[in-house]
Amino acid sequence: PSFPPIVVMRMLAVAGVFLCTELCAAQTTMWGTIEASTDHTVLEQAIIAAADVKTALEGAGPFTMVAPTDAAFTAALTELGAADAAAVLARPDLPEILKYHVLSASTKVDPLVAADMTTLQGMTANVATDVTKVAGATTVTVSSQVQVGTAGAEESVLHVCTDSILLPKPVYQVASEATDTFSTLVAALDAAALADVKTGLGLKNGGALHTVFAPTNAAFTAYLTARGIDATALLADDQLANIVKYHILTGKTMAADVATGEADTLYGATGKLSLVKDGAAVTANGATVSEEVLAGNGVVHPIDKVLMPNVVEVAKSSSDF
């Protein structure tokens, strides 16, 4: 049917209002704001690659997020040992990195306050507000804010940084900072024979995730006493690399996700761990697993024994030790 010109104009006006309302609504979400920003194209691609993060940021919030610009991603390439942004986007730990940029606070945090703040990834980031800096494995400087939400009722905020991306501490750093608990394990990882394993537990590992059943210092002391050797002899042991690899699994397995059964380790096909889940309690080859410690590229499960693959155990029992 044909309509008088005035009716057509009114129809178009109404349609325009509805279209504008849809587009404007898209920009009132955290995701819509990032998507519309010409300075955050790499962040946009990263969020698209991490579907669960994108789904969360499409919600109403409130959200408080540290938002690295494209320049920040470029600045972080050296720290990550990555050739380009595409290599960063391909990292298996990308969702962990993105979640570390979002605070888990139930209300908008603006301005940021000096404190350790829990992130959606589960680890804390430290905020210093003399010049607003947020620190994990790396430290970023917040240079500006973008308010997100309906005009006059902005519920979310982007704290923009241009100098780097905010990286959660990797497994190796988490262990090395817990000197009272894991200093012997870290000394073993620092041995030349374990250089590849140490790299694999750090930032420059291509984003691989690992689960470490980590003997505590007390566990190593008991092991050394039982074998009648000291730490120097342990670090010189030609089986040290195999012993340490036997404690490490590929992938991130939280205690809640452990299933009773055998698990492959970095030691190889003949070195499987026997994991047992009994309610909330977990054991690995009979060793008691204590409260887990989160890392950016995995998780550390403290255990009260040094575990030995069978082949190494036989070799040790027949040696002069």
Side-chain angles (χ1 to χ4, degrees), residues 66 111-115 126-135 138-145 159-163:
V66 175
L112 291 170
V113 295
N126 179 263
V127 179
T129 55
D130 46 348
V131 174
T132 303
K133 294 182 180 292
V134 187
T138 52
T139 300
V140 303
T141 303
V142 174
S143 55
S144 62
Q145 285 76 34
H159 294 283
V160 178
C161 61
T162 61
D163 52 350

Side-chain angles (χ1 to χ4, degrees), residues 41-313:
T41 61
V42 180
L43 179 60
E44 177 189 350
Q45 294 173 60
I47 293 172
I48 290 172
D52 58 335
V53 178
K54 180 175 181 290
T55 298
L57 296 180
E58 285 175 330
F63 296 110
T64 299
M65 182 176 187
V66 175
T69 62
D70 294 346
F73 273 93
T74 299
L77 294 179
T78 300
E79 189 75 32
L80 290 170
D84 51 30
V88 177
L89 296 176
R91 289 175 66 98
D93 65 348
L94 182 64
E96 303 284 329
I97 293 173
L98 292 176
K99 290 175 185 176
Y100 193 66
H101 285 76
V102 184
L103 300 186
S104 63
S106 58
T107 58
K108 179 176 74 172
V109 182
D110 184 36
L112 291 170
V113 295
D116 286 332
M117 294 191 170
T118 303
T119 67
L120 285 186
Q121 190 268 344
M123 299 174 70
T124 60
N126 179 263
V127 179
T129 55
D130 46 348
V131 174
T132 303
K133 294 182 180 292
V134 187
T138 52
T139 300
V140 303
T141 303
V142 174
S143 55
S144 62
Q145 285 76 34
V146 177
Q147 302 298 322
V148 180
T150 305
E154 293 87 353
E155 291 186 337
S156 298
V157 62
L158 290 170
H159 294 283
V160 178
C161 61
T162 61
D163 52 350
S164 186
I165 64 176
L166 186 60
L167 296 170
K169 295 175 182 178
V171 168
Y172 177 79
Q173 186 174 352
V174 167
S176 64
E177 291 181 356
T179 53
D180 291 343
T181 308
F182 298 124
S183 60
T184 306
L185 175 61
V186 171
L189 288 169
D190 287 342
L194 282 154
D196 59 333
V197 177
K198 177 180 175 179
T199 298
L201 300 178
L203 288 174
K204 297 181 179 181
N205 71 343
L209 299 167
H210 290 95
T211 298
V212 181
F213 289 91
T216 62
N217 290 342
F220 272 107
T221 297
Y223 172 76
L224 296 177
T225 300
R227 301 218 64 87
I229 62 174
D230 60 15
T232 301
L234 171 69
L235 297 178
D237 191 337
D238 60 2
Q239 290 296 324
L240 178 64
N242 286 330
I243 294 171
V244 172
K245 289 176 182 179
Y246 186 59
H247 293 76
I248 304 174
L249 284 57
T250 57
K252 178 182 177 181
T253 305
M254 304 293 286
D257 301 322
V258 169
T260 296
E262 292 188 329
D264 292 332
T265 68
L266 294 189
Y267 178 81
T270 60
K272 295 180 182 291
L273 282 185
S274 175
L275 301 177
V276 175
K277 182 75 172 291
D278 183 9
V282 177
T283 59
N285 285 16
T288 300
V289 177
S290 302
E291 185 176 355
E292 63 200 6
V293 183
L294 276 176
N297 58 358
V299 61
V300 179
H301 297 287
I303 56 175
D304 61 353
K305 295 179 183 176
V306 176
L307 309 178
M308 301 284 283
N310 288 336
V311 174
V312 173
E313 185 65 50

